[in-house]
Amino acid sequence: MQIKVGIIGGTGLDNNRELIEQRTEIVIDTAYGSVPVIEGVISGVNCVLLARHGKSHNVMPSNVNYRGNIMALKILGCTHVIATTATGSLKQEIAPGSIVILNDAIDRTKNRVSTFYDGSDLFPGVCHLPMSPLMDEKTRQIIIDTAKELGIEVFKDGTAVCIEGPRFSTKAESNMFRSWGCDLVNMTIVPEVVLAKEQGLLYASIAMATDYDCWRENTDGRVCVEEVMATFKNNVEKVTKIILGVIPNIAKLDWTETIQDLNSLITGSVMLPDQ
Ligand code: ADE
């Protein structure tokens, strides 16, 4: 089966147009609003580039059009989503600049629609989709193996707590997340990963630690946007290299069964109203 990869660029990677060849800028009309994307090709594989926070990073995490973004990728025929995300580190060993291939999350968001099955006619029924495993394991493994091939060090798993934002955490919150065993804190992984799964898209996320959040003693303990952006800029090349290596490696495998399995999971998770 033919694959197509949606690449969701987070903070620092939202304008990385160099990633993709034969670029065409288009706007996809979805039931959730219009979504600008760039279609193109990476190593002969069809890809779609989407800036999560808008082209000029002017959409805050709570206002990201998560459903529109995922639906645009679905309409364009994507089979996979590789997302990038800036995160705060909650562990000493995950120094700023480190890359973590996320495998789990804790949801602390408050104001986001996190399902397509919201009672509308578009997606009838109630969808109780299992969230373990959260990401597509096969895609995650390809990312880990590709980074190894390229000699780029990554943490092979990590749990991110997703906060509502746009403010950063308090020290008490940051320490609570650490006590929960979280490795990273970010503002966007939920509901993006959930919505992608509902649409049968194989999703994996490359997280970059951009700061130590505010839990560390004997530091001024502040996170600032400037630091987040500077760390991302200095390390963006690593993320770009991994993505460029991952796409052809995804294309080498047959995904028919993986996609069928996910679709069966979705069908089995939707409770339809009595006819
Ligand atoms: N994104 C980057 N750094 C972050 C932090 N410390 N908290 C939440 N989201 C972030």
Side-chain angles (χ1 to χ4, degrees):
M1 87 173 297
Q2 239 204 326
I3 64 141
K4 187 167 183 176
V5 183
I7 300 162
I8 302 184
T11 301
L13 253 175
D14 25 25
N15 236 333
N16 199 346
R17 305 164 95 252
E18 285 69 42
L19 211 56
I20 195 161
E21 293 157 12
Q22 299 171 37
R23 289 189 289 272
T24 328
E25 294 197 23
I26 48 171
V27 176
I28 304 298
D29 290 322
T30 78
Y32 311 95
S34 302
V35 180
V37 299
I38 300 176
E39 270 207 296
V41 172
I42 296 175
S43 298
V45 180
N46 291 327
C47 291
V48 181
L49 204 55
L50 190 154
R52 181 186 292 121
H53 299 273
K55 275 193 282 189
S56 40
H57 201 97
N58 54 0
V59 183
M60 72 164 181
S62 308
N63 291 345
V64 166
N65 185 1
Y66 294 100
R67 292 201 296 185
N69 288 351
I70 293 298
M71 189 48 72
L73 298 181
K74 180 75 182 178
I75 289 170
L76 288 168
C78 289
T79 50
H80 293 71
V81 178
I82 307 288
T84 63
T85 181
T87 57
S89 169
L90 299 171
K91 294 261 168 82
Q92 185 65 36
E93 60 272 27
I94 307 178
S98 304
I99 293 178
V100 183
I101 314 307
L102 296 180
N103 69 323
D104 215 342
I106 290 181
D107 181 9
R108 288 264 302 171
T109 64
K110 301 169 193 162
N111 295 319
R112 303 180 187 187
V113 183
S114 61
T115 181
F116 285 100
Y117 297 81
D118 60 355
S120 74
D121 293 341
L122 280 177
F123 293 97
V126 178
C127 183
H128 296 292
L129 197 56
M131 284 295 127
S132 177
L134 184 62
M135 313 274 170
D136 179 60
E137 239 344 280
K138 195 165 149 188
T139 309
R140 238 176 56 74
Q141 203 52 53
I142 292 176
I143 300 175
I144 293 165
D145 293 345
T146 305
K148 196 169 176 199
E149 268 165 42
L150 295 167
I152 299 172
E153 211 179 305
V154 299
F155 288 86
K156 296 188 177 62
D157 41 42
T159 297
V161 54
C162 185
I163 60 173
E164 184 62 45
R167 67 169 178 86
F168 290 119
S169 305
T170 64
K171 193 162 187 161
E173 287 167 338
S174 199
N175 277 316
M176 177 178 70
F177 300 149
R178 275 166 53 76
S179 77
W180 289 353
C182 299
D183 302 297
L184 299 161
V185 51
N186 99 325
M187 299 186 195
T188 54
I189 191 82
V190 183
E192 192 171 88
V193 61
V194 180
L195 295 168
K197 202 170 192 180
E198 279 191 356
Q199 288 304 322
L201 301 175
L202 303 173
Y203 183 104
S205 172
I206 304 174
M208 186 196 290
T210 52
D211 53 84
Y212 269 122
D213 205 44
C214 62
W215 56 271
R216 291 198 314 164
E217 299 298 338
N218 308 320
T219 62
D220 79 356
R222 245 181 292 143
V223 197
C224 68
V225 172
E226 211 179 321
E227 180 191 3
V228 169
M229 295 307 285
T231 313
F232 216 108
K233 206 167 150 219
N234 292 338
N235 293 282
V236 77
E237 216 179 288
K238 281 195 285 190
V239 179
T240 308
K241 268 195 195 152
I242 295 175
I243 293 175
L244 292 176
V246 160
I247 307 284
N249 285 344
I250 291 179
K252 279 183 202 154
L253 301 186
D254 181 13
W255 294 88
T256 316
E257 213 178 299
T258 318
I259 290 171
Q260 270 168 4
D261 287 351
L262 180 52
N263 284 331
S264 311
L265 182 76
I266 298 162
T267 311
S269 303
V270 177
M271 290 172 60
L272 287 168
D274 291 337
Q275 299 299 317

